[in-house]
Amino acid sequence: MKTTTKQLKLGVFVLHAGYHLAGWRHPEAISGGENLALMIEIAKTAEAGKLDMLFFPDVPGSTADSTPSVISRFEPLTLLSTLSAHTKHIGLAATASTTYHEPMNVARMFASLDHLSQGRAAWNLVTTLAKEAAGNFGAHEHLKHADRYARATEFVQIVRGLWDSWEDDAFPRDKASGQYFDVSKLHTLNFRGETLSVRGPLNLNRPPQGHPVVVVAGASEDGRRLAASHADVSFTAQHDLATAQAYYRDIKEKTRLAGRHPEEVLVMPAVVPVIGATEREAKEKFDLLQSLTPIEQAIPLLSFFLGHDVSKLPLDEPLPNLGSSEAMKSRTDLLLELALKERWTVRQLALSVAASRGHLLVVGTPETVADTLEHWFKAGAADGFNIMPPYFPGGLRDFVDGVVPLLQARGLFRRDYTGTTLREHLGLQRPRHPQTMAHEVRDRSPSLTPTLA
Ligand SMILES: Cc1cc2nc3c(=O)[nH]c(=O)nc-3n(C[C@H](O)[C@H](O)[C@H](O)COP(=O)(O)O)c2cc1C
């Protein structure tokens, strides 16, 4: 059992139409991927709850089978730049694909957001789960899983290297001497890799956080290794405690083996809380959402998450073992295991995926939700959670008004922001510039001076 004053980290996962497939149909729900007023309300509600970060997922493309949250929505970094002006404390996290972006652009976009927000930016690094995206970038097919991760591994090194183009305080802007920047504090990357090569430098001063927070949401072996070597946060889908504990231990061990301190990577599973004033009210709310979910819409979503078309399978027969997928290995494996363990039919799995897509689902009172989060946290299954409200804005307000005060009363969550940057909220170090560290080593022992380009 964890006996520390360490506190939970909490993010909110924003799918504007709600995380439940039918969330937007709830009588209280408001949705709209272009509804800026709704986005500002969500951001302000999360900040009023003292949450660590807002998270906007993304897939660069859609099809006629896409869900309401995906079919039309803002590009997340454009949106976060606006939300940074409507908030003061909350972290601003967005997805950017390493398969369908160039490292220079990603480094510039997140460094810019970090400056705009005075140090609150976070990049959710994904290799993109949707093979349909390929067609939008002149590719005939989606890269293979292993190739996507090979590119992602070079990609993140380049982005971090570009964020180190400038040492801290490299811009004196001294009108008297005419020195605008100190060229000795400028470092050109010249990265040459198997799949990517980037010269640099980044044409933007070093971000306030040194490096914006890097999140990795992949959970396959490749995903775990990438997180352990290069991430600050690991997002994951977990639906039971034992598996979540095993994932937590594995990430921490891989982080240690990668030469980092295990606390340098925070593990944040997600949870879909369906909250009512009583257990009965919560159950009724959940049953209403399930009743608003046509199976015709749940089946394409299941096919998407399994990476296999299940539309021809008999609905009320057990799901056959379809085997893993190239799209998102760990999620497909998780759902197949769940169906097998629960002996679910295709229909039952589809309706479960419509509700929580394989993530932990908690239906109950604020106490029930707080107890579950506290138990997982103290049982070594999580450093924090990504909250996925079934619909907005009410589903988030239920959590902020009902669950957060309980977690605060138990000393498990902050009562107020004490830091200004996202790294300070998360208790993560600000990466020091490699040159700064080299200087310190040299000053401590002149004979061991390493050199940098
Ligand atoms: C909390 C969370 C958020 C995610 N957000 C995105 C996203 O915005 N875009 C995306 O393409 N994939 C997203 N994913 C999916 C992952 O990128 C990845 O495809 C999936 O976890 C399977 O990883 P694996 O192939 O390493 O097993 C997310 C996953 C999790 C757990």
Side-chain angles (χ1 to χ4, degrees):
M1 271 302 179
K2 209 181 273 173
T3 54
T4 162
T5 53
K6 211 172 108 176
Q7 292 191 315
L8 279 173
K9 312 302 173 191
L10 292 173
V12 57
F13 186 113
V14 184
L15 281 179
H16 66 85
Y19 204 75
H20 191 290
L21 183 58
W24 66 279
R25 299 182 69 187
H26 187 277
E28 290 168 20
I30 300 172
S31 62
E34 326 75 23
N35 184 339
L36 180 57
L38 173 65
M39 300 303 154
I40 293 171
E41 180 177 350
I42 291 171
K44 288 185 180 289
T45 304
E47 190 165 71
K50 314 300 179 193
L51 271 58
D52 291 90
M53 63 179 145
L54 278 174
F55 167 60
F56 285 86
D58 190 52
V59 173
S62 59
T63 68
D65 281 333
S66 293
T67 63
S69 283
V70 169
I71 199 77
S72 171
R73 58 179 166 183
F74 290 124
E75 187 284 320
L77 274 144
T78 313
L79 172 60
L80 285 181
S81 305
T82 299
L83 294 181
S84 73
H86 291 271
T87 54
K88 287 195 183 61
H89 303 284
I90 196 158
L92 306 168
T95 288
S97 170
T98 54
T99 305
Y100 297 113
H101 265 297
E102 290 299 326
M104 183 67 177
N105 296 333
V106 167
R108 273 183 94 199
M109 294 191 300
F110 284 95
S112 300
L113 180 62
D114 206 45
H115 280 283
L116 286 169
S117 64
Q118 285 88 47
R120 297 186 281 137
W123 166 37
N124 179 38
L125 181 169
V126 302
T127 68
T128 293
L129 49 76
K131 58 184 185 306
E132 298 77 21
N136 295 332
F137 298 88
H140 297 299
E141 58 174 16
H142 199 37
L143 280 180
K144 290 261 170 299
H145 192 268
D147 297 336
R148 295 201 309 271
Y149 273 103
R151 178 183 162 95
T153 305
E154 292 193 351
F155 198 113
V156 66
Q157 292 171 63
I158 295 169
V159 169
R160 284 195 184 272
L162 288 170
W163 287 334
D164 283 335
S165 295
W166 295 96
E167 291 175 41
D168 295 315
D169 58 38
F171 288 79
R173 298 187 180 90
D174 181 2
K175 293 182 180 177
S177 70
Q179 185 190 28
Y180 190 86
F181 63 89
D182 179 345
V183 70
S184 72
K185 296 189 175 189
L186 170 62
H187 302 281
T188 302
L189 186 63
N190 287 322
F191 182 99
R192 294 202 175 291
E194 299 290 312
T195 57
L196 292 163
S197 67
V198 172
R199 181 179 58 79
L202 185 66
N203 49 342
L204 180 56
N205 193 0
R206 193 160 196 252
Q209 294 187 94
H211 294 183
V213 169
V214 174
V215 179
V216 167
S220 57
E221 230 4 69
D222 287 334
R224 295 176 188 216
R225 269 199 298 274
L226 185 68
S229 305
H230 298 288
D232 301 298
V233 176
S234 164
F235 278 175
T236 180
Q238 303 291 337
H239 61 90
D240 77 50
L241 181 61
T243 325
Q245 288 171 315
Y247 180 84
Y248 186 95
R249 286 193 299 272
D250 187 41
I251 289 287
K252 299 290 180 176
E253 178 57 10
K254 281 185 165 66
T255 304
R256 194 184 60 75
L257 293 171
R260 304 170 73 198
H261 188 285
E263 290 310 304
E264 286 185 58
V265 179
L266 301 175
V267 176
M268 293 179 68
V271 56
V272 179
V274 180
I275 300 168
T278 64
E279 295 296 334
R280 183 188 163 129
E281 190 189 301
K283 177 83 175 54
E284 285 169 359
K285 187 183 281 187
F286 180 69
D287 293 346
L288 171 64
L289 289 166
Q290 292 299 87
S291 72
L292 293 169
T293 310
I295 195 68
E296 300 73 34
Q297 291 177 10
I299 289 295
L301 185 65
L302 178 58
S303 296
F304 179 77
F305 273 91
L306 287 178
H308 299 279
D309 178 4
V310 298
S311 60
K312 306 277 182 307
L313 295 177
L315 277 177
D316 296 308
E317 297 289 321
L319 188 85
N321 189 345
L322 302 164
S324 194
S325 87
E326 269 291 313
M328 23 177 181
K329 275 188 189 323
S330 56
R331 191 72 61 91
T332 304
D333 300 347
L334 177 154
L335 293 173
L336 291 174
E337 274 160 35
L338 191 56
L340 224 58
K341 191 180 84 180
E342 304 288 347
R343 300 177 184 286
W344 277 345
T345 62
V346 175
R347 183 192 304 273
Q348 288 168 319
L349 181 62
L351 291 174
S352 165
V353 167
S356 68
R357 296 171 173 95
H359 294 281
L360 174 64
L361 172 71
V362 183
V363 178
T365 60
E367 285 73 20
T368 307
V369 176
D371 291 350
T372 306
L373 301 186
E374 179 172 7
H375 184 48
W376 278 47
F377 176 61
K378 291 187 171 170
D383 296 310
F385 298 89
N386 238 332
I387 306 303
M388 297 171 156
Y391 58 89
F392 284 101
L396 174 60
R397 209 173 298 127
D398 291 344
F399 183 84
V400 164
D401 296 348
V403 181
V404 168
L406 293 173
L407 296 173
Q408 290 168 331
R410 297 176 191 190
L412 291 167
F413 190 60
R414 69 171 65 80
R415 285 186 183 283
D416 206 346
Y417 294 105
T418 50
T420 56
T421 70
L422 176 55
R423 282 184 177 279
E424 287 162 1
H425 300 338
L426 296 174
L428 294 169
Q429 292 292 321
R430 178 182 189 275
R432 294 159 58 225
H433 193 284
Q435 193 62 27
T436 314
M437 294 199 278
H439 287 325
E440 286 160 7
V441 169
R442 182 203 53 214
D443 299 347
R444 273 203 303 277
S445 49
S447 61
L448 295 174
T449 308
T451 56
L452 265 181

